[in-house]
Amino acid sequence: GAASMSDPPVFKRKGALKREKIHEARKHKFAATFFKQPTFCSHCKEFMWGLGKQGYKCKSCQFVCHKKCHTFVNFVCPGDAPDEYKGENRKEHNFSSHSYGSPTFCDQCGSMLYGVIKQGQQCKGCKMNVHKRCLPLVPPLCGTDNTERRGRINLEVCWSQVSPELQTMTVTILECKNLLSMDANGLSDPYVKLYLLPDPQKLTKQKTEIHKETLNPVFKEQFKFDFGAGSNMDRRLHIAVWDWDRHTSNDFMGALSFSIKEVQEAGTLSGWYKLLSEKQGANYNMRLPDFEDDFELGRSATVVGGGPLPSSAAGLKAPTSASADAASAAPAAKPAAAAA
C-alpha cells in the first residue's frame, strides 16, 4: 500500500563516494589496493595472494606490502618526509639500465619488469631492481637491507660478573613478530632454541615453550649461561626459531647469533633483531632501527620497534641455566651443523 502521510521522509545520499581508509606507518600512507597483475610484497618478498584487494600500497612512494607487513616497514616514506634523508642519513643509489634473463619484479612497486632487454634499473651497489618510473620514489638508502623475509625477534642479552671466578650471560626472549607461515592453516607452532657454538653434543641447549598456531608469539622467558675461569670465550650464542611438528621433523624459521666477546664488551644488547637464514644466523646478527614515535594501525596506536620490556616485567618466567664449561671440552663443530 501507499506510505502513510505520517511516515518520516527518507533521505538518500546520491553520488556520494566512499572515503578511502588510510593506514599510516612510518609516515607512509597505505591504502588497500587491488593489483591487476602478479605482485610481490616488497617487505617480505612473498607473493600477494587474493581475488580482492590483495595488499597495501603507499599513496606517496608506491611501496607495496601485505596487510600484515605494513606495520613493520623499516624506513620512513621518502615522499612525505624528505627531510629524513639529509646529511649522513642519505646514501644515494647508483642505478643503470639492466637486462634480466629471468622474470624479475620491482623492489619498490612489486610488479614485473616487462620487456625484452633493459627491462629495468639495477643499483650497482646494493643490486636493487626497480622500474625506471619508480626511480624518484626509491628511498636513498643504498646498502641497507629493509626486507624481513623471516620476521623479527625481541630479546635482551646481559653479561654480569657474579664472582671473580664466575660470569653469567642472561638471555631474555620476549616475543617474535611476523614469523613465517609453516603450516597448512597459515600459522606456525614456534619455539626458540638457544645454545653456544661450537657444541656438537648440544650440552648447552635450552629452549622455550611451544606456542601453538601463532605468528606473533610472546615468550617472556629467561635463560642463563655460566662461564667459569677457564671457559672458552671464542664462542657464539646461537638463537634460532623453529616450527614444531607432531609427525614430521621440526622446520627451521630463522636465526641470529652473538659472539661472547661482543656481549662482554657491550654489557647489554637489547631490541628487535631480524631473523636470518641458517647460514647467515650462525655468523652474525642484524639489529632493526628503533622508532620512538607511535604510528596508527587502523586508527589505533601501536608501538613497533621500540626497546624490549625490562627483565622484571610482569609474567617473566623463572630463568633456566646451563654451564658453558660442560661443552667447552667437546671438539669444535661447524656452525651449520649446530642447527639440528
Side-chain angles (χ1 to χ4, degrees), residues 8-126:
V10 178
F11 297 96
K12 294 184 179 180
R13 297 178 61 194
K14 294 184 178 180
L17 297 176
K18 185 178 179 180
R19 181 177 297 178
E20 191 174 34
K21 189 173 183 179
I22 302 298
H23 307 267
E24 296 184 7
R26 310 285 185 265
K27 298 184 180 180
H28 291 274
K29 291 180 172 58
F30 288 110
T33 306
F34 170 72
F35 300 101
K36 299 179 181 179
Q37 56 180 308
T39 306
F40 282 79
C41 174
S42 296
H43 183 72
C44 70
K45 298 300 179 181
E46 295 290 333
F47 188 73
M48 304 179 72
W49 299 93
L51 298 177
K53 297 179 178 180
Q54 302 97 324
Y56 283 4
K57 185 176 183 178
C58 178
K59 306 292 288 185
S60 299
C61 68
Q62 307 300 308
F63 186 82
V64 299
C65 60
H66 291 107
K67 179 181 179 180
K68 66 174 184 176
C69 294
H70 85 282
T71 59
F72 302 106
V73 176
N74 295 322
F75 65 93
V76 178
C77 180
D80 284 356
D83 295 338
E84 296 285 341
Y85 301 101
K86 289 185 177 179
E88 296 181 355
N89 296 329
R90 191 176 186 88
K91 299 177 182 178
E92 294 289 352
H93 293 275
N94 185 13
F95 285 108
S96 62
S97 298
H98 188 79
S99 298
Y100 302 92
S102 60
T104 307
F105 291 79
C106 177
D107 291 327
Q108 184 71 15
C109 71
S111 59
M112 181 178 286
L113 300 172
Y114 287 99
V116 180
I117 59 171
K118 296 183 178 180
Q119 301 94 326
Q121 303 283 315
Q122 185 180 79
C123 177
K124 294 181 179 179
C126 62

Side-chain angles (χ1 to χ4, degrees), residues 183-225:
D183 298 335
N185 59 1
L187 300 173
S188 299
D189 303 324
Y191 69 95
V192 181
K193 188 160 54 176
L194 309 88
Y195 44 86
L196 300 176
L197 296 177
D199 185 6
Q201 299 178 5
K202 305 294 188 300
L203 299 178
T204 60
K205 184 176 71 173
Q206 303 184 64
K207 57 184 178 180
T208 66
E209 294 182 356
I210 300 170
H211 288 248
K212 300 289 187 69
E213 298 184 354
T214 178
L215 300 180
N216 303 292
V218 178
F219 296 101
K220 292 186 179 180
E221 297 188 41
Q222 201 172 72
F223 305 89
K224 289 187 177 181
F225 296 88

